Amino acid sequence: MFHLAPSILAANWCHLGDDVKKTVDAGTDYIHFDVIDGIFAPQISFGMPVLASLRKECDAVMDVHLMIEQPERYIPTFASLGADIIPVHYEACNHLDRIINQIKECGAKACVALNPATPVSVLEWILPKLDMVLIMTVNPGYGGQKLIPYCIEKVRRLNEMKKAMGLSFDIQVDGGITLANAGDAIEAGANVLVAGSSVFGKDIEASTKGFMELFKQYDVSVVSAEIWSDILLDGHRHIPTQSVSEDAKMRSVAMYAPSKTFSLAGLVGSYHIIYNKALRDRHDKESSLSHYD
Ligand code: DX5
Ligand code: ZN
């Protein structure tokens, strides 16, 4: 399941409520709320009163990204004001395990964010406790920066760890995400995409819908069972195996399907990679589906 998490850091706060409503009405179900303290990251953004106001107006999942030192000081307050997910920075926590416990005890989902230069391996022992990992794709502090390409490789590495460990946490990317590069992040394994300037800096409704359309290309849950069986029975014969990575083959989560099949589903284009949890589950359940062997 993919989610767009529009970052209100890029919104026009003179009409914040209206702008948030526009993106929610256009299909998004998360709102990304960047709290910056001017110490951990170089800018002072907004905090509790804004969250309290917004929470009253908006039912979306509130994803409260704490770019602050010693986040444990404020986690209970943000949770009580309606934060549903709280990403804290690995680099800002002295006792990360304790802070993860604290977030959960407050009733929120726990997420750890990593700055671009921090390797994903630092999370090895904590991954089973996490609901989400946030890979920063820019240095934290400002909206409107360009995505740092090697961060996509970190997403891929994290996704490999996730599969190897049999975990199901979400992978979020944040910073410089546009409609043009969102597919790269998704193909690397991300399923929650933060976008500030690409949503609030443009026509909010059109941009949100653009992301929703993109998600459909990757989310086979939108493909009907009938069409999906076409893919299973026919598409697999057309898989250009040389183009499918070993990793993808092993995990059976990626396959190429012929464009005609996608056209049936209203999705045009040539070959698309499908990340398909449903397929994986079905494959596990029906091991007799020999065409995956
Ligand atoms: C950066 C913030 C991001 C930022 C993203 O420190 O964490 O959430 O708002 O904005 P864009 O999408 O414009 O890079
Ligand atoms: Zn953020």
Side-chain angles (χ1 to χ4, degrees), residues 10-226:
N12 180 337
W13 298 333
C14 292
H15 34 81
L16 180 61
D18 291 344
D19 284 3
V20 166
K21 188 173 179 321
K22 277 187 199 163
T23 186
V24 171
D25 288 349
T28 193
D29 53 354
Y30 280 39
I31 292 295
H32 187 79
F33 191 95
D34 285 307
V35 183
I36 311 177
D37 65 358
I39 300 170
F40 176 74
Q43 185 182 188
I44 297 174
S45 60
F46 41 74
M48 288 109 178
V50 182
L51 180 60
S53 304
L54 201 55
R55 183 76 287 180
K56 281 187 212 137
E57 301 290 321
C58 172
D59 290 333
V61 170
M62 211 56 85
D63 171 30
V64 179
H65 179 190
L66 299 182
M67 285 167 276
I68 63 177
E69 288 294 338
Q70 299 177 309
E72 66 273 22
R73 294 172 296 156
Y74 298 113
I75 285 166
T77 312
F78 279 113
S80 73
L81 292 173
D84 297 298
I85 305 174
I86 304 186
V88 291
H89 269 262
Y90 167 83
E91 303 84 1
C93 297
N94 287 331
H95 303 286
L96 188 60
D97 182 272
R98 181 180 286 146
I99 291 173
I100 297 304
N101 294 341
Q102 182 195 29
I103 295 173
K104 291 181 164 184
E105 280 157 16
C106 291
K109 289 191 171 171
C111 172
V112 175
L114 298 181
N115 281 342
T118 305
V120 293
S121 56
V122 298
L123 295 180
E124 181 181 355
W125 292 100
I126 206 97
L127 282 180
K129 296 176 76 162
L130 298 181
D131 298 294
M132 186 165 83
V133 173
L134 192 176
I135 299 292
M136 289 300 302
T137 37
V138 298
N139 288 297
Y142 303 105
Q145 303 179 75
K146 270 209 157 63
L147 179 144
I148 301 170
Y150 71 74
C151 297
I152 297 295
E153 187 51 35
K154 286 177 64 183
V155 173
R156 198 166 287 120
R157 202 75 74 82
L158 176 67
N159 199 35
E160 281 164 11
M161 286 168 77
K162 171 177 157 176
K163 302 299 171 199
M165 294 169 81
L167 299 171
S168 59
F169 57 82
D170 289 321
I171 300 180
Q172 183 175 49
V173 283
D174 181 6
I177 298 294
T178 64
L179 265 175
N181 61 26
D184 296 341
I186 290 173
E187 287 169 19
N191 70 312
V192 184
L193 276 65
V194 176
S197 326
S198 300
V199 171
F200 290 113
K202 299 186 178 231
D203 179 320
I204 298 170
E205 194 184 7
S207 322
T208 303
K209 286 186 173 160
F211 279 100
M212 296 300 131
E213 284 305 309
L214 181 78
F215 291 168
K216 280 188 200 163
Q217 294 180 20
Y218 289 94
D219 189 350
V220 292
S221 66
V222 302
V223 179
S224 74
E226 200 180 319

